[in-house]
Amino acid sequence: MAFQLEEELTCPVCQDIFKDPVVLTCSHSFCKDCLRTWWIEKPTQECPVCKRSSKSSPPLNRSLKNLCEAYLQQEKQSHVCPLHKETFKLFCLTDQQPVCVVCRDSRAHKKHQVRPIDEATKQCKEELQKALNPLKDRMELVERFKKHCELSLAHIKSQSYHATNLIDKTFLRLHNFLSEQQELRLNALKEEEECKTQKMMDKISAMDAEIECLSETIRVAEEQLKAADVSFLLEYKAAVNTLAQYPQREEPNMGTGTLLDQAKHLGNLVFNIWSSMKTLVQFSPVILDPNTAHQELVLSDDLTSFTLEEEQKLPLNPERVPIGMPPLVRGSVGLDSGSYSWVVDVGDNDDWELGVATLSALCIQPDDEYVADDAGYWSVEFSDNKYVAINIDKKKDNVLKLKSNPRRITLHLECKKRKLTFYDADTNARIHCFTQLYQQKLYPIFGADTSMHILAQKI
């Protein structure tokens, strides 16, 4: 509170307690001499704080002047020993308080370490500065961490925006596909309905014509039956011949395929749509984790490939490959049971690396001398036109001799056997095999000097 009061009683120009304070129309106050000096140096009479113009003869701020005098009087009294009314000229190091010359010789401070005020002030300031330095270091550390948090916040929003757009585009593509499939199936159903409806209408028209003809023939025959004997006999032969033209017991035949083929349109409908959808989708056995990617790697939208570009400004992440390490990225899921295979297109890269590692191995800093006991790292690296098998447990890397340079590498991990095998995907020739992998989750790792792509598997 004393500090705040002193701050309120301090002139903004001389940074000292007000002397003859005057108040401007903008309500800011200054020492009379400080304001006069300020206005001599400035061509216009304006407030040194808010730059508003003011009167040339501002009035004295008596309330503030009285308050400043009272404060200075109190400060002066605070420098006097309340017991002996002597000015404090000494400082007791034992009790950590100012004392006067009478206090020094009193029983209360007998055998205490006492120093002159100026000497004690210098020593105490040095000690306070020494105690203050760690706080300044802490302040710098906290401010730096705050900047990382702000960068992380912006990155989270950017990730969310990017992911939202990709999700919307993906579902729109699926919606369009389903709409097209719906339209195709409805059109096929409509086409069959129209075709078979027309056939049935043609049959009904034929039956109507035949019924009309038969009705007329029956009517004529029945009239002949009512005729006199001679007249009946004269028309008998013609009537018999007319009736003989129509089949007597043959029933009209509907034939096969008259009704709609509902089995074709409805049978396994969802499965058939899904089967058609397989041409639209792809499945990757390994998904790259962008939060672990080195700052020079830019991942594709589907998280199955990357390219090496200029270093990006990314937030701190303990899972990210440390700066100074080779540009690597790991898979998003740790593998600890079952068997897995993934094929990687290394293309014409002059420098690449593939394998698996434990989390503790991926977090090792470049200059770390200590390697945790559970750190495991197994990979095949192509660099300087030679292939090398790398095992963190081995002090010396194993140089591999290959007959040709593979462009696509198959990695087959058998978690139960703790075994990782590398193959040339085009020739199926074995490149190298690691055994006795650690009983931990193993994360696929990928690195290249230009780009790399995990190939999709057949569904």
Side-chain angles (χ1 to χ4, degrees):
M1 292 180 64
F3 175 77
Q4 291 179 351
L5 179 60
E6 182 177 351
E7 189 176 9
E8 292 293 331
L9 301 179
T10 299
C11 174
V13 177
C14 65
Q15 297 297 313
D16 202 353
I17 301 298
F18 286 111
K19 296 178 181 178
D20 297 327
V22 293
V23 59
L24 303 184
T25 54
C26 59
S27 76
H28 290 125
S29 297
F30 305 91
C31 297
K32 185 176 182 180
D33 292 339
C34 293
L35 186 62
R36 184 184 296 112
T37 304
W38 176 272
W39 281 353
I40 291 174
E41 296 176 355
K42 299 292 180 180
T44 58
Q45 294 178 345
E46 60 181 20
C47 173
V49 175
C50 65
K51 308 304 180 185
R52 295 180 184 177
S53 61
S54 184
K55 297 180 180 180
S56 58
S57 300
L60 182 67
N61 192 340
R62 295 190 178 278
S63 299
L64 183 59
K65 180 180 180 182
N66 294 337
L67 188 61
C68 291
E69 290 177 352
Y71 176 77
L72 291 174
Q73 184 64 27
Q74 183 179 0
E75 282 290 299
K76 185 177 180 181
Q77 291 178 356
S78 65
H79 296 167
V80 176
C81 176
L83 296 178
H84 308 108
K85 307 304 179 182
E86 295 285 341
T87 304
F88 288 129
K89 294 183 178 180
L90 303 171
F91 184 78
C92 177
L93 296 177
T94 304
D95 293 336
Q96 294 288 297
Q97 65 180 28
V99 294
C100 66
V101 292
V102 179
C103 293
R104 177 193 58 186
D105 299 331
S106 67
R107 182 180 299 176
H109 296 278
K110 188 178 182 180
K111 296 183 179 180
H112 285 188
Q113 291 186 355
V114 179
R115 296 288 184 272
I117 282 288
D118 54 348
E119 181 181 336
T121 301
K122 182 179 179 181
Q123 179 181 346
C124 290
K125 284 185 176 180
E126 290 176 354
E127 292 178 357
L128 184 61
Q129 184 64 47
K130 187 177 180 181
L132 186 62
N133 288 335
L135 295 183
K136 290 183 177 180
D137 294 340
R138 176 64 181 177
M139 173 68 78
E140 183 180 352
L141 183 66
V142 171
E143 288 178 345
R144 186 164 61 248
F145 183 74
K146 179 187 174 183
K147 291 181 179 179
H148 287 305
C149 290
E150 292 172 344
L151 179 61
S152 298
L153 178 62
H155 190 67
I156 289 171
K157 292 184 179 297
S158 175
Q159 283 181 311
S160 176
Y161 177 79
H162 181 66
T164 300
N165 285 340
L166 288 180
I167 291 172
D168 288 342
K169 289 180 180 178
T170 300
F171 273 90
L172 179 61
R173 190 157 57 103
L174 294 176
H175 289 160
N176 291 339
F177 172 81
L178 291 175
S179 296
E180 292 173 1
Q181 291 293 313
Q182 181 184 17
E183 185 176 358
L184 287 174
R185 280 160 172 75
L186 290 176
N187 288 340
L189 177 62
K190 187 68 175 177
E191 183 179 348
E192 184 180 2
E193 178 196 2
E194 291 176 352
C195 179
K196 293 189 174 180
T197 297
Q198 186 61 48
K199 287 182 179 180
M200 194 55 60
M201 291 177 66
D202 291 343
K203 287 184 179 183
I204 292 174
S205 297
M207 293 303 102
D208 287 342
E210 186 175 351
I211 289 172
E212 184 179 354
C213 184
L214 287 172
S215 297
E216 180 62 24
T217 302
I218 292 171
R219 185 188 64 79
V220 172
E222 288 179 343
E223 287 181 355
Q224 288 177 346
L225 289 173
K226 297 176 182 180
D229 294 344
V230 176
S231 298
F232 170 75
L233 293 174
L234 288 174
E235 299 294 334
Y236 172 72
K237 184 177 180 180
V240 171
N241 290 335
T242 299
L243 295 176
Q245 294 177 6
Y246 297 96
Q248 299 299 313
R249 295 182 177 274
E250 183 179 347
E251 295 184 4
N253 186 7
M254 293 291 290
T256 59
T258 302
L259 303 178
L260 290 180
D261 189 355
Q262 286 187 295
K264 181 182 72 173
H265 297 291
L266 302 179
N268 289 324
L269 179 59
V270 176
F271 175 80
N272 291 333
I273 295 173
W274 176 76
S275 297
S276 301
M277 190 180 291
K278 287 194 294 185
T279 61
L280 185 70
V281 301
Q282 291 183 334
F283 172 74
S284 177
V286 175
I287 296 298
L288 303 177
D289 186 352
N291 293 331
T292 67
H294 190 276
Q295 293 182 323
E296 295 179 355
L297 299 184
V298 178
L299 273 60
S300 61
D301 289 341
D302 62 358
L303 306 180
T304 61
S305 63
F306 63 81
T307 55
L308 188 69
E309 299 183 9
E310 294 183 0
E311 186 171 309
Q312 309 167 82
K313 190 175 182 180
L314 298 175
L316 287 177
N317 186 6
E319 296 180 343
R320 192 179 306 283
V321 174
I323 298 176
M325 289 276 286
L328 297 174
V329 59
R330 67 170 173 84
S332 60
V333 177
L335 311 175
D336 60 353
S337 63
S339 296
Y340 305 88
S341 292
W342 57 97
V343 182
V344 183
D345 186 356
V346 297
D348 297 323
N349 281 299
D350 295 326
D351 195 335
W352 55 262
E353 184 175 5
L354 295 171
V356 297
T358 62
L359 277 181
S360 53
L362 292 171
C363 294
I364 297 175
Q365 296 291 335
D367 55 352
D368 278 359
E369 297 181 0
Y370 169 75
V371 178
D373 294 335
D374 59 351
Y377 192 99
W378 305 268
S379 70
V380 169
E381 179 187 66
F382 178 68
S383 182
D384 297 329
N385 207 28
K386 63 181 180 180
Y387 296 89
V388 179
I390 301 173
N391 187 343
I392 200 172
D393 286 339
K394 306 295 183 182
K395 295 182 179 179
K396 186 177 180 182
D397 296 334
N398 184 17
V399 178
L400 307 177
K401 295 182 179 179
L402 304 183
K403 295 181 179 180
S404 61
N405 293 336
R407 296 178 58 86
R408 299 190 305 166
I409 309 294
T410 299
L411 289 82
H412 182 62
L413 176 64
E414 299 173 86
C415 294
K416 186 175 182 180
K417 296 182 179 180
R418 313 312 293 174
K419 179 180 177 182
L420 176 64
T421 310
F422 294 78
Y423 297 94
D424 184 335
D426 295 316
T427 64
N428 207 32
R430 196 177 84 160
I431 298 174
H432 188 69
C433 179
F434 291 105
T435 57
Q436 298 180 346
L437 276 60
Y438 293 172
Q439 294 286 343
Q440 296 181 50
K441 285 187 176 181
L442 303 174
Y443 291 83
I445 55 173
F446 307 84
D449 62 347
T450 55
S451 63
M452 184 173 283
H453 182 215
I454 304 171
L455 300 181
Q457 284 187 352
K458 291 182 179 181
I459 301 177

